[in-house]
C-alpha cells in the first residue's frame, strides 16, 4: 500500500504540472500537449505447425495491455521547435513495468519554407507512404497490425527533409538521415552509422511514386553480443500476441536480415483520392552477415554469410461513408539467403474495417492470417522444420486522441 500511495502522489504531481503547463500554453500558444490511448482485444493467433514455441499452438481470447502516449510540442522561437513523445509501449520495451519511455523526440530547425533539420530520435525507414501503428499512435494505420515487410524503426541522429513544388500540380518530397541504431550510447570501435534516403513525386491527380534506401555499416565484432546492428529489418512491434511469446519479440515478422552490414531498397506506387487508396511496393534487403544460430529468431551472434530477402505488398482502402471504411492488405516475403532455394516464402493477409465515432475516436476490427514456409525466416516457425507453420486470428482496437 505504501508503494501504491507513493506512486499515486508522483502521478498527482505530474498531473498538476501538466495542467499548469497547459494553462501556460493557453496564454502563450508556445507549448501544446496532445496524446493518445489505445486498447485492443484478440482471439485466435494460434500457431498451427512447427512453432518455435509449442506453447503458442493454442491461445485463448483476451485484452492486450493498454498503450498510451503524451506528446509535447514547444515553439521555442520562429525557427526552432521541439517534439517529444512519452509513451508506454509494451510491444516495444516489455520491461515488466508501466514506465513511460521516450520513444520519439527531436529538436527541429526550420531552415527555410521548404527545408528543415531535426536532431534527436528519428524515424529510420525505406517506406515513403507511412501507415503503421506505434504504441498508442494507431490512427494513421487503417489496419490493426503493421505489415509483414515493414522496414522501419527509430534511431538517434540527424534528419534533413524538404518539400518542393515542381509545378502547380506536382511536388517532390525528400529526406535523408544519418543515425546510430539504438537508444543507448555505444561508441565501440566499428559500431558505425546508418544512412537513409527517401523521396516521392506527387501529382495532383492522386498518383504518387516513391523510393527509399537504407544502409547499415557495422563491424561484426562491434555488435556481437549486443542488440542487432539495426532493428530496421525487423519492422516495428505488432499488436498481435502469441500465448507465450514475449510481448516485445518480433515473432510475427520475418527475421532474415540482422542489420549488421545491410543494404535495403524499396520502390512504391500509390493512387489516392478522397475516398479510395491503393498502394503497392517492391523491395530487396541484403546483409553480408547472418544470425549464427539460424534465421527466424532474434539473436546477438553473427556469422559472415550473406542473408537476402525480397518483399512486396499491395493494400487498398475504401471509404464506405465519411465515418466507415474497409481495408485489405496482402504481403509476401521471400528468403533468398545463401543456400536457401525452396520453401522460403512467408505471406500475410489482413482484412479489416474501421468506424470513426467522432474526429478523435476510431474503432477497428481485423482478420489476419500469416503462412510461413519451412525456410521463410518467419518468427513463429521453427526454422528448418518441415511443413512450416501458420497462424490467424481476429483483433479489435479502440483508440482515442486528445
Amino acid at each position: 500500500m505504501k508503494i501504491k500511495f507513493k506512486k499515486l502522489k508522483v502521478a498527482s504531481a505530474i498531473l498538476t504540472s501538466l495542467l499548469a503547463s497547459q494553462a501556460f500554453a493557453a496564454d502563450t500558444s508556445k507549448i501544446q500537449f496532445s496524446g493518445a490511448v489505445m486498447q485492443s482485444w484478440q482471439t485466435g493467433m494460434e500457431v498451427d505447425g512447427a512453432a518455435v514455441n509449442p506453447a503458442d499452438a493454442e491461445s485463448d481470447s483476451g485484452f492486450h495491455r493498454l498503450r498510451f502516449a503524451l506528446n509535447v510540442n514547444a515553439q521555442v522561437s520562429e525557427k526552432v521547435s521541439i517534439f517529444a513523445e512519452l509513451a508506454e509501449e509494451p510491444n516495444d520495451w516489455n520491461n515488466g513495468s508501466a514506465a513511460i519511455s521516450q520513444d520519439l523526440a527531436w529538436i527541429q530547425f526550420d531552415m527555410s519554407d521548404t527545408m528543415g533539420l531535426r536532431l534527436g530520435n528519428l524515424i529510420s525507414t525505406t517506406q515513403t507512404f507511412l501507415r503503421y501503428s506505434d504504441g498508442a499512435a494507431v490512427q494513421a494505420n487503417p489496419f490493426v497490425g503493421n505489415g509483414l515487410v515493414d522496414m522501419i524503426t527509430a534511431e538517434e541522429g540527424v534528419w534533413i527533409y524538404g518539400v518542393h513544388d515542381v509545378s502547380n500540380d506536382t511536388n517532390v518530397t525528400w529526406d535523408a538521415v544519418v543515425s546510430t541504431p539504438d537508444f543507448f550510447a555505444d561508441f565501440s570501435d566499428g559500431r558505425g552509422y546508418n544512412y537513409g534516403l527517401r523521396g516521392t513525386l506527387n501529382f495532383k491527380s492522386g498518383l504518387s511514386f516513391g523510393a527509399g534506401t537504407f544502409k547499415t555499416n557495422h563491424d561484426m565484432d562491434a555488435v556481437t553480443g549486443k542488440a542487432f546492428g539495426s532493428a530496421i529489418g525487423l519492422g516495428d512491434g505488432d499488436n498481435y500476441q502469441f500465448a507465450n511469446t514475449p510481448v516485445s519479440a518480433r515473432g510475427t515478422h520475418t527475421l532474415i536480415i540482422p542489420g549488421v552490414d545491410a543494404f535495403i531498397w524499396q520502390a512504391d506506387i500509390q493512387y489516392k483520392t478522397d475516398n479510395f487508396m491503393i498502394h503497392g511496393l517492391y523491395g530487396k534487403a541484403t546483409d553480408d552477415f547472418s544470425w549464427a544460430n539460424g534465421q527466424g529468431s532474434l539473436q546477438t551472434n553473427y556469422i559472415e554469410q550473406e542473408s537476402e530477402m525480397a518483399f512486396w505488398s499491395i493494400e487498398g482502402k475504401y471509404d464506405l461513408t465519411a465515418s466507415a471504411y474497409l481495408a485489405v492488405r496482402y504481403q509476401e516475403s521471400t528468403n533468398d539467403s545463401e543456400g536457401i532455394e525452396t520453401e522460403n516464402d512467408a505471406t500475410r493477409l489482413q482484412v479489416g474495417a474501421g468506424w470513426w465515432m467522432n474526429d478523435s475516436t476510431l474503432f477497428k476490427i481485423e482478420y489476419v492470417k500469416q503462412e510461413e514456409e519451412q525456410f521463410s525466416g518467419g518468427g513463429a516457425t521453427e526454422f528448418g522444420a518441415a511443413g512450416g507453420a501458420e497462424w490467424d486470428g481476429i483483433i479489435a482496437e479502440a483508440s482515442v486522441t486528445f
Side-chain angles (χ1 to χ4, degrees):
M1 288 298 294
K2 290 182 179 179
I3 294 175
K4 289 183 179 179
F5 180 67
K6 185 176 181 181
K7 287 184 177 180
L8 181 61
K9 288 197 295 184
V10 171
S12 178
I14 292 173
L15 179 60
T16 302
S17 175
L18 291 180
L19 291 174
S21 299
Q22 286 177 316
F24 173 75
D27 293 335
T28 66
S29 299
K30 288 186 177 182
I31 300 177
Q32 294 182 332
F33 291 92
S34 61
V37 181
M38 184 273 280
Q39 176 69 71
S40 53
W41 170 91
Q42 74 173 48
T43 182
M45 305 300 165
E46 299 176 351
V47 181
D48 181 21
V52 172
N53 186 348
D56 291 333
E58 295 184 5
S59 179
D60 205 344
S61 62
F63 289 94
H64 293 149
R65 194 160 118 191
L66 179 139
R67 279 84 161 148
F68 65 89
L70 176 67
N71 303 320
V72 182
N73 285 275
Q75 192 68 43
V76 179
S77 68
E78 183 180 358
K79 298 289 187 179
V80 180
S81 59
I82 64 169
F83 165 79
E85 180 193 55
L86 306 176
E88 198 275 323
E89 296 184 37
N91 55 322
D92 267 354
W93 298 104
N94 191 35
N95 59 2
S97 72
I100 294 177
S101 299
Q102 184 269 105
D103 187 48
L104 198 66
W106 55 68
I107 307 167
Q108 178 169 311
F109 302 90
D110 295 329
M111 301 163 63
S112 69
D113 291 339
T114 60
M115 289 181 60
L117 182 146
R118 291 172 178 170
L119 295 170
N121 292 335
L122 312 168
I123 299 172
S124 293
T125 184
T126 57
Q127 297 174 245
T128 51
F129 305 106
L130 291 178
R131 277 179 288 272
Y132 73 104
S133 299
D134 186 29
V138 299
Q139 294 189 352
N141 185 2
F143 304 96
V144 177
N146 290 322
L148 169 68
V149 298
D150 284 352
M151 299 290 183
I152 188 167
T153 188
E155 300 184 334
E156 298 172 324
V158 56
W159 188 7
I160 187 169
Y161 57 91
V163 181
H164 309 279
D165 291 330
V166 177
S167 67
N168 292 333
D169 299 333
T170 307
N171 68 54
V172 171
T173 72
W174 62 271
D175 69 88
V177 62
V178 178
S179 60
T180 51
D182 57 45
F183 288 84
F184 311 99
D186 184 348
F187 300 97
S188 302
D189 187 29
R191 190 66 163 119
Y193 288 91
N194 293 334
Y195 307 93
L197 180 65
R198 298 183 300 163
T200 66
L201 176 63
N202 310 291
F203 298 96
K204 184 179 180 181
S205 64
L207 181 65
S208 297
F209 297 92
T213 63
F214 199 81
K215 180 73 177 74
T216 72
N217 182 30
H218 314 292
D219 294 342
M220 183 175 71
D221 292 343
V223 296
T224 296
K226 304 174 183 178
F228 22 78
S230 172
I232 188 171
L234 314 178
D236 203 49
D238 267 332
N239 292 325
Y240 311 132
Q241 181 61 45
F242 296 128
N244 284 272
T245 304
V247 179
S248 64
R250 299 304 196 256
T252 59
H253 284 261
T254 50
L255 304 174
I256 300 172
I257 305 295
V260 179
D261 191 3
F263 180 73
I264 309 167
W265 66 265
Q266 176 177 319
D268 301 71
I269 182 171
Q270 175 175 275
Y271 178 69
K272 185 177 182 180
T273 64
D274 289 341
N275 66 341
F276 175 75
M277 177 276 294
I278 185 167
H279 169 224
L281 65 88
Y282 179 82
K284 283 194 173 184
T286 60
D287 200 323
D288 289 339
F289 297 89
S290 298
W291 278 295
N293 299 315
Q295 295 166 325
S297 61
L298 293 178
Q299 304 160 41
T300 58
N301 293 302
Y302 314 93
I303 57 173
E304 195 168 349
Q305 177 177 300
E306 185 174 288
S307 54
E308 180 178 350
M309 65 178 288
F311 55 92
W312 65 275
S313 169
I314 186 166
E315 62 184 354
K317 175 176 175 283
Y318 179 70
D319 293 335
L320 299 171
T321 67
S323 59
Y325 67 83
L326 299 175
V328 179
R329 173 194 279 159
Y330 179 82
Q331 298 185 315
E332 183 171 310
S333 168
T334 301
N335 186 358
D336 292 324
S337 300
E338 185 177 326
I340 298 175
E341 297 180 354
T342 60
E343 297 298 315
N344 54 350
D345 290 337
T347 63
R348 179 183 294 179
L349 173 67
Q350 295 166 257
V351 180
W355 173 59
W356 289 92
M357 180 179 180
N358 51 51
D359 290 343
S360 62
T361 307
L362 176 60
F363 296 93
K364 293 187 254 180
I365 188 167
E366 173 188 291
Y367 169 75
V368 59
K369 181 180 181 67
Q370 184 156 314
E371 298 180 272
E372 304 171 0
E373 293 184 339
Q374 182 176 359
F375 301 108
S376 67
T381 302
E382 184 182 357
F383 190 79
E390 65 178 55
W391 52 269
D392 67 344
I394 294 173
I395 184 167
E397 176 185 277
S399 63
V400 178
T401 59
F402 58 91

